[in-house]
Amino acid sequence: MRFNDRVSVGEVKKTAEGYLVATARVCRTGVQEYYASELGDIALKAGFKPNDIVRVNRPESEVFSDQSLKSLTRVPVTVDHPPEEVTPDNWSKYAVGEVGDAYARDGQWVVVSPMIKDARGIQAAQTSHKEISMGYTANLVDAADKSIADLDMVGIVYNHQALVPRGRAGPQARIGDSWGVSPVTDNQPGGKPTPE
């Protein structure tokens, strides 16, 4: 299943050549809430009705797994989510930069440093697209701890990091620009998910 999450871009600097380099928290552990209809058959087969809220946990063991973190390095940066996965066949069509090959852990967060090299991408990042949304695939399984979540997200593999408009409002803010679903509620670290 394809997912996206939104976060604000962190510290941004310009290099001597004019490229943009940012430091951003891009993904984290914890519970996010989705509509069952957005999660497809797995939520419906688990007994949820389409408009029910489903709590999805991203366990620390998955977010910080070697497979997940290695897939995050060198992913392309795009302006908005492309309608398909970014591959060598379409990279030049969608990419405006890339995430570096280093990452760090900041508590529950993964931090990376994307570089935007394309003039169109730089313009978007400085004006209309000031948030980051990771495009990735993952599987959903029954939650190990049903007291905090209904499903666990496992096998997280990143495909791209999209620059997206800031502060889109309303119910469409959850829909990921043809890429996938994003949470209705993102319970921040220390917050409590909505009870069943």
Side-chain angles (χ1 to χ4, degrees):
M1 174 165 269
R2 298 189 310 181
F3 291 89
N4 71 73
D5 304 321
R6 290 211 164 107
V7 294
S8 295
V9 176
E11 180 184 349
V12 177
K13 297 184 258 181
K14 257 195 174 172
T15 68
E17 300 82 12
Y19 302 142
L20 276 188
V21 180
T23 301
R25 292 174 161 182
V26 293
C27 51
R28 66 168 180 82
T29 64
V31 176
Q32 295 178 323
E33 296 174 344
Y34 297 82
Y35 283 116
S37 60
E38 295 179 310
L39 299 177
D41 289 344
I42 189 165
L44 300 177
K45 285 179 182 175
F48 292 96
K49 294 181 177 77
N51 289 328
D52 287 348
I53 297 290
V54 180
R55 301 167 302 158
V56 177
N57 182 40
R58 289 191 296 188
E60 181 177 328
S61 60
E62 293 294 326
V63 172
F64 296 108
S65 75
D66 285 343
Q67 172 193 337
S68 178
L69 292 173
K70 286 178 183 174
S71 76
L72 183 57
T73 64
R74 298 288 182 191
V75 296
V77 175
T78 64
V79 176
D80 294 316
H81 286 288
E84 58 190 333
E85 287 191 0
V86 182
T87 67
D89 294 328
N90 60 26
W91 184 92
S92 62
K93 179 178 179 181
Y94 297 125
V96 296
E98 70 178 27
V99 171
D101 56 8
Y103 49 82
R105 182 173 180 167
D106 181 9
Q108 293 179 299
W109 292 90
V110 176
V111 179
V112 297
S113 296
M115 179 180 276
I116 304 163
K117 296 182 174 184
D118 179 83
R120 175 179 61 99
I122 292 169
Q123 176 69 19
Q126 292 178 322
T127 58
S128 60
H129 288 62
K130 294 185 176 183
E131 289 189 3
I132 287 175
S133 178
M134 297 304 300
Y136 60 97
T137 58
N139 295 312
L140 298 174
V141 299
D142 282 335
D145 183 351
K146 291 285 192 181
S147 70
I148 63 164
D150 304 300
L151 300 170
D152 283 342
M153 185 177 287
V154 299
I156 301 166
V157 177
Y158 295 96
N159 177 261
H160 63 274
Q161 182 181 55
L163 302 173
V164 294
R166 184 175 198 143
R168 290 192 305 166
Q172 292 306 309
R174 293 177 289 97
I175 306 303
D177 302 329
S178 301
W179 174 254
V181 296
S182 60
V184 176
T185 304
D186 184 0
N187 298 296
Q188 295 300 309
K192 298 211 184 263
T194 304
E196 293 182 58

